[in-house]
Amino acid sequence: MADQSAQTDELTSRERIKRALSHGKAGRISRDTSNKVMLGVFRAAAYITTLVLVAIIAYVVINGLPHISPDFIFGWPEGVNAEGGIWPTIVSTIYVTALAMLICTPIAVLAAVYLAEYAKQGRLVNIIRYAADALASVPSIVMGLFGYALFVEAMGLGLSMLSAAMSLALLMLPIVMRTTEEAIRAVPRYIRWGAYGLGATKWQVVSKIVLPSAFGRIATGIVLAIGRAIGETAVVLYTMGQAINMPITPLDSGRPMTVHLYLLANDGINMNAAYGTALLLMIIILAFNLFSRYLSHRSR
């Protein structure tokens, strides 16, 4: 009886081992299959994204490249159909973006320094961060209406470069502030400790060690914010106006490239000029994105 029970136990253990091995093989097959399926899904998503981007770029290049010339870039729009060039719109775009950057950058960087280095972490700091994130998600047309109500009407600045620049600065502010804060936090703590050990003050550490160390990432955030500001239409449409002139002072109005493109394409006035404007605008934004990538790799 003992021998029979021992044989029975041995058979049972062999069956268990066989079952475990079969389940293990099935599990490996199942895992390999699911891995291959998900890898195919990821590749398909990446290829679709790339193809969409290439298709958009190719469409704009094919339709816009034949109309790009020195006369188109440096000329002025003429006539009812806006024949000629788009030089005043290029100047207006660069003017308002540079002015918005000058307004936004000091405020955003100083706010980020306060949150990362000086503020006591707690509910108030969390509220400020949440407000910045919420501001970044506000639709541009809402920001345009707010800028029109506050800067154009309430403050009496009119449709001008200054009104548009301050409205764009509100859009750029959360991007620059959050990027700067993360860049400051990425600076290793031991660098600060070494400076404090040598007798440096808080401001000396921040101004001479932390900010220079984080400069690359801060500049990347600023460049990305500038790229977004250049591509905005609703904000500048409500706060700058549509006048085709060469802005001299911040109180002058103008027409940026995005608004010019919108009017040409929406009314069907001159589709050739619209495609040419779209191509130049895309080249400018692409240049800013490539420059931000260069700064990002250089800061590593």
Side-chain angles (χ1 to χ4, degrees):
M1 295 294 294
D3 293 337
Q4 291 180 355
S5 62
Q7 291 178 358
T8 303
D9 293 339
E10 185 178 355
L11 291 174
T12 304
S13 62
R14 288 179 180 178
E15 291 178 358
R16 290 177 180 175
I17 294 173
K18 289 181 180 180
R19 290 177 182 177
L21 291 175
S22 63
H23 284 303
K25 291 180 180 179
R28 285 197 297 271
I29 294 173
S30 178
R31 288 194 297 270
D32 293 339
T33 302
S34 61
N35 182 62
K36 291 179 180 179
V37 170
M38 292 310 301
L39 182 60
V41 172
F42 295 149
R43 285 179 176 174
Y47 293 153
I48 291 173
T49 303
T50 305
L51 287 175
V52 170
L53 177 62
V54 171
I56 294 174
I57 294 176
Y59 180 79
V60 175
V61 170
I62 292 172
N63 289 278
L65 189 60
H67 309 292
I68 300 296
S69 66
D71 292 335
F72 179 76
I73 296 175
F74 298 104
W76 284 59
E78 299 175 355
V80 178
N81 294 328
E83 300 289 344
I86 60 169
W87 178 243
T89 66
I90 296 176
V91 174
S92 297
T93 301
I94 297 174
Y95 194 134
V96 72
T97 306
L99 191 58
M101 182 191 68
L102 292 176
I103 296 172
C104 168
T105 302
I107 300 174
V109 172
L110 292 176
V113 170
Y114 171 75
L115 292 178
E117 295 292 332
Y118 289 93
K120 183 179 180 180
Q121 302 303 311
R123 182 176 298 179
L124 178 60
V125 173
N126 292 332
I127 291 175
I128 295 174
R129 291 196 181 101
Y130 177 78
D133 294 337
L135 183 61
S137 62
V138 173
S140 60
I141 191 169
V142 175
M143 193 64 70
L145 290 173
F146 175 78
Y148 177 82
L150 178 61
F151 304 124
V152 177
E153 294 291 336
M155 298 180 63
L157 298 176
L159 299 174
S160 62
M161 291 290 164
L162 186 58
S163 298
M166 288 192 290
S167 300
L168 287 175
L170 294 178
L171 283 179
M172 298 168 63
L173 182 65
I175 300 175
V176 179
M177 189 181 80
R178 296 293 283 156
T179 305
T180 302
E181 184 183 359
E182 294 300 326
I184 292 174
R185 291 184 176 277
V187 177
R189 288 288 178 183
Y190 63 83
I191 298 179
R192 297 175 174 86
W193 297 337
Y196 289 138
L198 294 174
T201 63
K202 183 73 171 181
W203 173 242
Q204 288 175 333
V205 172
V206 171
S207 61
K208 299 187 181 298
I209 296 177
V210 175
L211 288 180
S213 299
F215 174 77
R217 295 185 180 183
I218 295 174
T220 300
I222 295 173
V223 172
L224 290 175
I226 290 174
R228 181 186 177 183
I230 290 177
E232 289 296 336
T233 304
V235 176
V236 291
L237 179 64
Y238 285 109
T239 55
M240 187 191 298
Q242 306 174 17
I244 302 178
N245 56 12
M246 188 70 70
I248 303 299
T249 68
L251 295 178
D252 292 337
S253 63
R255 179 187 291 186
M257 297 175 67
T258 51
V259 174
H260 187 66
L261 171 61
Y262 168 76
L263 294 175
L264 292 177
N266 186 57
D267 298 335
I269 297 175
N270 189 344
M271 292 305 299
N272 293 334
Y275 284 121
T277 304
L279 179 57
L280 287 178
L281 185 62
M282 188 173 64
I283 290 173
I284 294 174
I285 296 176
L286 180 62
F288 273 103
N289 289 332
L290 291 176
F291 184 58
S292 68
R293 289 179 63 87
Y294 167 75
L295 292 177
S296 178
H297 286 296
R298 187 178 179 182
S299 62
R300 292 178 181 176

